[in-house]
Amino acid sequence: MHFVTLQGESQPVAIGKIVCVARNYAEHARELGNPVPDEAVLFIKPASSLLADGGGIVIPAYAQECHHEIELAVLIGRTGKGISPASALEHVAGYGVALDMTLRDVQSRLKSKGLPWEIAKGFDTSCPLSAFVPAGRVPDPQQLHLRLTVNGDVRQDGATAHMLRPVAQLISEASHYFTLEAGDILLTGTPSGVGPVRSGDRLEAVIEGVGRLSVSVV
C-alpha cells in the first residue's frame, strides 16, 4: 500500500490507481511529432511508481533515454462514475506537483510496433510526487504556473491555462472509462520543453500556489 499526504489531514491517504493523460498541451504534442488528439489519451501508472519528495529516480537498465515531464496532480476525494464536467471539481480533495518520468526510447520503440507502452511510463520511481494542498486553497486549477529546472536551468515553463482539456473535463472523461475512487490520482499532462535527464541531475518542479518537488537521478 502506498500513501500520500494531504495538508491539514492527520492521516495519510492510501493511493489507488494513477490515471494519466498524454498530449494535453498542444505544443508538447507537436514537439514530439504527435497529432493533437480529439479525445483524451489515457494510460495508467501503478501506485508502485510513486516516489516521495527528496527521493532518487532510478532509470531502468533496459532504457537509455529518460525524459522529465512536470504535471499538475489531482487527488480524488470522492468516488464517482460518469461524472459531469459541471460537478467534477467537487470530487477533488487536493492538488500536487508530479513528474511523469518517461523512458522515451522504450516508448518510441513500442509505439512503432503498435504495442502498449506502460513499461516506459510505469517503472518504479517514475512518478515523483509532492504532498497535496487541499482543493479549497486552489481557487482555479486552470490559472497555475508550472516550472521545471534541471541543475538550475529552466527546462519547462508553462501554464495550466494552455491545457487542451481542463481539469474538470479530464475528470469527467476519465470517469466514463474508469470509476474514480477516493485516493486515485489524475495526472493532467505536461507543457512543452521535455528533455533527457542523466545520473546526478537534480530536478526541481514548482507549481505556484500548489507546491514544490525536488528529486535527483541516481
Side-chain angles (χ1 to χ4, degrees):
M1 188 72 71
H2 297 264
F3 298 87
V4 295
T5 300
L6 177 62
Q7 293 177 14
E9 297 293 325
S10 59
Q11 297 296 322
V13 179
I15 294 306
K17 57 187 172 292
I18 305 168
V19 181
C20 311
V21 60
R23 308 175 198 169
N24 198 32
Y25 290 76
E27 288 304 314
H28 171 58
R30 294 187 186 104
E31 75 178 345
L32 295 183
N34 294 317
V36 176
D38 55 10
E39 60 183 336
V41 179
L42 302 174
F43 61 94
I44 289 180
K45 286 179 180 273
S48 56
S49 68
L50 289 175
L51 177 68
D53 184 30
I57 298 164
V58 179
I59 301 174
Y62 60 83
Q64 300 297 317
E65 186 177 11
C66 183
H67 281 202
H68 56 74
E69 299 185 7
I70 183 175
E71 309 207 4
L72 174 68
V74 179
L75 177 64
I76 300 299
R78 195 174 85 192
T79 297
K81 175 74 173 177
I83 302 167
S84 71
S87 64
L89 296 185
E90 298 172 10
H91 290 258
V92 177
Y95 296 97
V97 184
L99 293 175
D100 172 17
M101 304 305 298
T102 302
L103 305 177
R104 194 70 71 198
D105 57 331
V106 176
Q107 183 189 38
S108 297
R109 173 172 54 82
L110 294 171
K111 284 170 62 178
S112 71
K113 297 178 180 179
L115 297 173
W117 26 272
E118 271 73 13
I119 63 172
K121 288 281 194 176
F123 61 96
D124 291 354
T125 74
S126 67
C127 189
L129 189 65
S130 73
F132 285 82
V133 297
R137 296 189 193 173
V138 180
D140 185 352
Q142 301 312 136
Q143 297 297 321
L144 300 172
H145 178 222
L146 305 87
R147 188 170 186 264
L148 174 77
T149 61
V150 178
N151 302 324
D153 296 326
V154 177
R155 292 278 190 89
Q156 291 184 267
D157 197 316
T160 57
H162 298 151
M163 287 182 181
L164 294 172
R165 290 168 180 79
V167 171
Q169 184 178 343
L170 289 176
I171 292 171
S172 177
E173 288 193 43
S175 75
H176 281 78
Y177 299 108
F178 318 107
T179 296
L180 294 180
E181 301 174 304
D184 287 348
I185 293 172
L186 177 67
L187 300 192
T188 57
T190 193
S192 62
V194 302
V197 295
R198 297 173 178 82
S199 178
D201 283 349
R202 184 75 179 176
L203 289 71
E204 185 169 52
V206 179
I207 301 179
E208 292 180 3
V210 172
R212 182 182 303 268
L213 172 67
S214 296
V215 291
S216 57
V217 182
V218 176

